[in-house]
Short mmCIF file of all heavy atoms in Angstrom, two decimals:
data_model
loop_
_atom_site.label_atom_id
_atom_site.label_comp_id
_atom_site.label_asym_id
_atom_site.label_seq_id
_atom_site.Cartn_x
_atom_site.Cartn_y
_atom_site.Cartn_z
N ASP A 1 26.07 -17.39 8.31
CA ASP A 1 24.62 -17.20 8.30
C ASP A 1 24.21 -15.83 7.76
O ASP A 1 23.17 -15.29 8.11
CB ASP A 1 24.04 -17.44 9.69
CG ASP A 1 24.57 -16.46 10.72
OD1 ASP A 1 25.61 -15.82 10.45
OD2 ASP A 1 23.94 -16.33 11.78
N PHE A 2 25.04 -15.26 6.88
CA PHE A 2 24.78 -13.94 6.31
C PHE A 2 23.41 -13.87 5.64
O PHE A 2 22.65 -12.92 5.85
CB PHE A 2 25.88 -13.58 5.32
CG PHE A 2 25.66 -12.26 4.61
CD1 PHE A 2 25.91 -11.08 5.28
CD2 PHE A 2 25.20 -12.23 3.30
CE1 PHE A 2 25.70 -9.86 4.64
CE2 PHE A 2 25.00 -11.02 2.66
CZ PHE A 2 25.24 -9.84 3.33
N ASN A 3 23.07 -14.85 4.82
CA ASN A 3 21.78 -14.85 4.11
C ASN A 3 20.62 -14.84 5.09
O ASN A 3 19.61 -14.17 4.87
CB ASN A 3 21.67 -16.04 3.16
CG ASN A 3 22.57 -15.88 1.96
OD1 ASN A 3 22.99 -14.77 1.62
ND2 ASN A 3 22.89 -17.00 1.31
N ASN A 4 20.74 -15.58 6.17
CA ASN A 4 19.67 -15.60 7.18
C ASN A 4 19.50 -14.24 7.85
O ASN A 4 18.39 -13.80 8.10
CB ASN A 4 19.94 -16.68 8.23
CG ASN A 4 19.81 -18.08 7.67
OD1 ASN A 4 19.12 -18.30 6.67
ND2 ASN A 4 20.49 -19.02 8.29
N LYS A 5 20.61 -13.58 8.12
CA LYS A 5 20.55 -12.26 8.75
C LYS A 5 19.90 -11.24 7.81
O LYS A 5 19.08 -10.43 8.23
CB LYS A 5 21.94 -11.79 9.17
CG LYS A 5 22.50 -12.54 10.35
CD LYS A 5 23.87 -12.04 10.74
CE LYS A 5 24.42 -12.81 11.92
NZ LYS A 5 25.75 -12.33 12.31
N VAL A 6 20.27 -11.27 6.53
CA VAL A 6 19.67 -10.36 5.55
C VAL A 6 18.17 -10.64 5.44
O VAL A 6 17.36 -9.72 5.42
CB VAL A 6 20.36 -10.50 4.17
CG1 VAL A 6 19.60 -9.73 3.10
CG2 VAL A 6 21.79 -10.01 4.27
N TYR A 7 17.78 -11.90 5.39
CA TYR A 7 16.37 -12.28 5.33
C TYR A 7 15.63 -11.73 6.54
O TYR A 7 14.54 -11.16 6.41
CB TYR A 7 16.22 -13.80 5.26
CG TYR A 7 14.79 -14.24 5.33
CD1 TYR A 7 13.99 -14.25 4.19
CD2 TYR A 7 14.21 -14.63 6.54
CE1 TYR A 7 12.66 -14.64 4.25
CE2 TYR A 7 12.89 -15.01 6.62
CZ TYR A 7 12.12 -15.02 5.47
OH TYR A 7 10.81 -15.40 5.54
N ASP A 8 16.21 -11.89 7.72
CA ASP A 8 15.56 -11.41 8.95
C ASP A 8 15.36 -9.89 8.92
O ASP A 8 14.33 -9.39 9.35
CB ASP A 8 16.38 -11.80 10.19
CG ASP A 8 16.35 -13.30 10.46
OD1 ASP A 8 15.48 -13.99 9.90
OD2 ASP A 8 17.22 -13.78 11.23
N ILE A 9 16.35 -9.17 8.41
CA ILE A 9 16.24 -7.71 8.32
C ILE A 9 15.11 -7.32 7.39
O ILE A 9 14.25 -6.50 7.73
CB ILE A 9 17.58 -7.09 7.86
CG1 ILE A 9 18.63 -7.23 8.96
CG2 ILE A 9 17.39 -5.63 7.46
CD1 ILE A 9 20.04 -6.91 8.50
N PHE A 10 15.06 -7.92 6.21
CA PHE A 10 13.99 -7.60 5.26
C PHE A 10 12.63 -8.04 5.78
O PHE A 10 11.63 -7.37 5.56
CB PHE A 10 14.27 -8.23 3.89
CG PHE A 10 15.26 -7.44 3.08
CD1 PHE A 10 16.53 -7.93 2.83
CD2 PHE A 10 14.93 -6.19 2.58
CE1 PHE A 10 17.44 -7.20 2.10
CE2 PHE A 10 15.84 -5.45 1.85
CZ PHE A 10 17.10 -5.96 1.61
N TYR A 11 12.59 -9.15 6.48
CA TYR A 11 11.33 -9.61 7.06
C TYR A 11 10.80 -8.59 8.07
O TYR A 11 9.61 -8.27 8.06
CB TYR A 11 11.52 -10.98 7.72
CG TYR A 11 10.26 -11.49 8.37
CD1 TYR A 11 9.28 -12.11 7.62
CD2 TYR A 11 10.05 -11.33 9.74
CE1 TYR A 11 8.11 -12.57 8.20
CE2 TYR A 11 8.89 -11.78 10.34
CZ TYR A 11 7.93 -12.40 9.57
OH TYR A 11 6.76 -12.85 10.16
N GLU A 12 11.66 -8.08 8.93
CA GLU A 12 11.25 -7.09 9.92
C GLU A 12 10.77 -5.79 9.26
O GLU A 12 9.80 -5.18 9.70
CB GLU A 12 12.38 -6.80 10.91
CG GLU A 12 12.64 -7.93 11.88
CD GLU A 12 11.42 -8.28 12.73
OE1 GLU A 12 10.72 -7.36 13.22
OE2 GLU A 12 11.15 -9.48 12.90
N ILE A 13 11.44 -5.37 8.20
CA ILE A 13 11.02 -4.17 7.47
C ILE A 13 9.64 -4.38 6.87
O ILE A 13 8.76 -3.52 6.98
CB ILE A 13 12.06 -3.80 6.38
CG1 ILE A 13 13.36 -3.34 7.03
CG2 ILE A 13 11.50 -2.74 5.44
CD1 ILE A 13 14.52 -3.21 6.06
N ALA A 14 9.43 -5.52 6.22
CA ALA A 14 8.13 -5.82 5.61
C ALA A 14 7.03 -5.93 6.67
O ALA A 14 5.91 -5.45 6.47
CB ALA A 14 8.21 -7.11 4.79
N LYS A 15 7.34 -6.53 7.79
CA LYS A 15 6.37 -6.67 8.88
C LYS A 15 5.95 -5.30 9.41
O LYS A 15 4.77 -5.04 9.61
CB LYS A 15 7.00 -7.52 10.00
CG LYS A 15 6.09 -7.78 11.17
CD LYS A 15 6.80 -8.67 12.19
CE LYS A 15 6.02 -8.76 13.47
NZ LYS A 15 6.74 -9.52 14.50
N LYS A 16 6.92 -4.41 9.60
CA LYS A 16 6.63 -3.06 10.09
C LYS A 16 5.79 -2.28 9.08
O LYS A 16 4.84 -1.59 9.45
CB LYS A 16 7.95 -2.32 10.38
CG LYS A 16 7.77 -0.89 10.83
CD LYS A 16 7.17 -0.81 12.21
CE LYS A 16 7.17 0.62 12.68
NZ LYS A 16 5.90 1.08 13.16
N ALA A 17 6.12 -2.41 7.80
CA ALA A 17 5.34 -1.72 6.76
C ALA A 17 3.90 -2.24 6.75
O ALA A 17 2.95 -1.46 6.62
CB ALA A 17 5.99 -1.92 5.40
N HIS A 18 3.72 -3.53 6.90
CA HIS A 18 2.37 -4.12 6.93
C HIS A 18 1.60 -3.61 8.15
O HIS A 18 0.41 -3.27 8.04
CB HIS A 18 2.47 -5.64 6.95
CG HIS A 18 1.16 -6.33 6.97
ND1 HIS A 18 0.31 -6.34 5.90
CD2 HIS A 18 0.52 -7.02 7.96
CE1 HIS A 18 -0.78 -7.01 6.21
NE2 HIS A 18 -0.67 -7.43 7.46
N GLU A 19 2.25 -3.53 9.30
CA GLU A 19 1.60 -3.01 10.50
C GLU A 19 1.19 -1.56 10.32
O GLU A 19 0.10 -1.15 10.74
CB GLU A 19 2.53 -3.15 11.71
CG GLU A 19 2.73 -4.57 12.16
CD GLU A 19 3.83 -4.72 13.21
OE1 GLU A 19 4.46 -3.69 13.58
OE2 GLU A 19 4.07 -5.86 13.64
N ASP A 20 2.04 -0.76 9.66
CA ASP A 20 1.71 0.65 9.42
C ASP A 20 0.48 0.78 8.52
O ASP A 20 -0.38 1.63 8.76
CB ASP A 20 2.89 1.39 8.79
CG ASP A 20 4.02 1.62 9.78
OD1 ASP A 20 3.81 1.43 11.00
OD2 ASP A 20 5.12 1.98 9.33
N VAL A 21 0.40 -0.05 7.49
CA VAL A 21 -0.76 -0.01 6.60
C VAL A 21 -2.03 -0.41 7.36
O VAL A 21 -3.08 0.20 7.19
CB VAL A 21 -0.54 -0.92 5.37
CG1 VAL A 21 -1.82 -1.12 4.57
CG2 VAL A 21 0.55 -0.34 4.48
N GLN A 22 -1.93 -1.43 8.20
CA GLN A 22 -3.09 -1.85 8.99
C GLN A 22 -3.55 -0.73 9.92
O GLN A 22 -4.74 -0.49 10.06
CB GLN A 22 -2.77 -3.10 9.81
CG GLN A 22 -2.81 -4.36 8.99
CD GLN A 22 -2.56 -5.58 9.85
OE1 GLN A 22 -1.74 -5.55 10.78
NE2 GLN A 22 -3.25 -6.65 9.55
N LYS A 23 -2.61 -0.05 10.57
CA LYS A 23 -2.96 1.05 11.46
C LYS A 23 -3.68 2.16 10.70
O LYS A 23 -4.64 2.74 11.18
CB LYS A 23 -1.72 1.62 12.15
CG LYS A 23 -1.15 0.74 13.22
CD LYS A 23 0.10 1.37 13.82
CE LYS A 23 0.80 0.42 14.75
NZ LYS A 23 2.07 0.97 15.23
N GLU A 24 -3.19 2.44 9.48
CA GLU A 24 -3.80 3.50 8.68
C GLU A 24 -5.23 3.14 8.30
O GLU A 24 -6.11 3.99 8.35
CB GLU A 24 -2.97 3.72 7.41
CG GLU A 24 -3.50 4.83 6.54
CD GLU A 24 -2.70 4.99 5.28
OE1 GLU A 24 -1.47 4.93 5.33
OE2 GLU A 24 -3.33 5.20 4.23
N THR A 25 -5.48 1.89 7.96
CA THR A 25 -6.84 1.50 7.56
C THR A 25 -7.78 1.42 8.75
O THR A 25 -8.99 1.50 8.58
CB THR A 25 -6.84 0.16 6.79
OG1 THR A 25 -6.27 -0.85 7.61
CG2 THR A 25 -6.07 0.27 5.49
N GLU A 26 -7.26 1.26 9.96
CA GLU A 26 -8.10 1.20 11.15
C GLU A 26 -8.57 2.58 11.61
O GLU A 26 -9.53 2.69 12.35
CB GLU A 26 -7.34 0.51 12.29
CG GLU A 26 -7.11 -0.97 12.05
CD GLU A 26 -6.21 -1.61 13.09
OE1 GLU A 26 -5.75 -0.89 14.01
OE2 GLU A 26 -5.96 -2.81 12.97
N LEU A 27 -7.91 3.63 11.17
CA LEU A 27 -8.31 4.98 11.56
C LEU A 27 -9.62 5.35 10.90
O LEU A 27 -9.89 4.95 9.76
CB LEU A 27 -7.24 5.99 11.14
CG LEU A 27 -5.92 5.97 11.90
CD1 LEU A 27 -4.93 6.90 11.24
CD2 LEU A 27 -6.13 6.35 13.34
#
């Protein structure tokens, strides 16, 4: 399940980056 694990890692990184952008625009 290597591909699934890599996908999950990239998904979490993208999710965190999106949350950071949302926090910045809310300020």
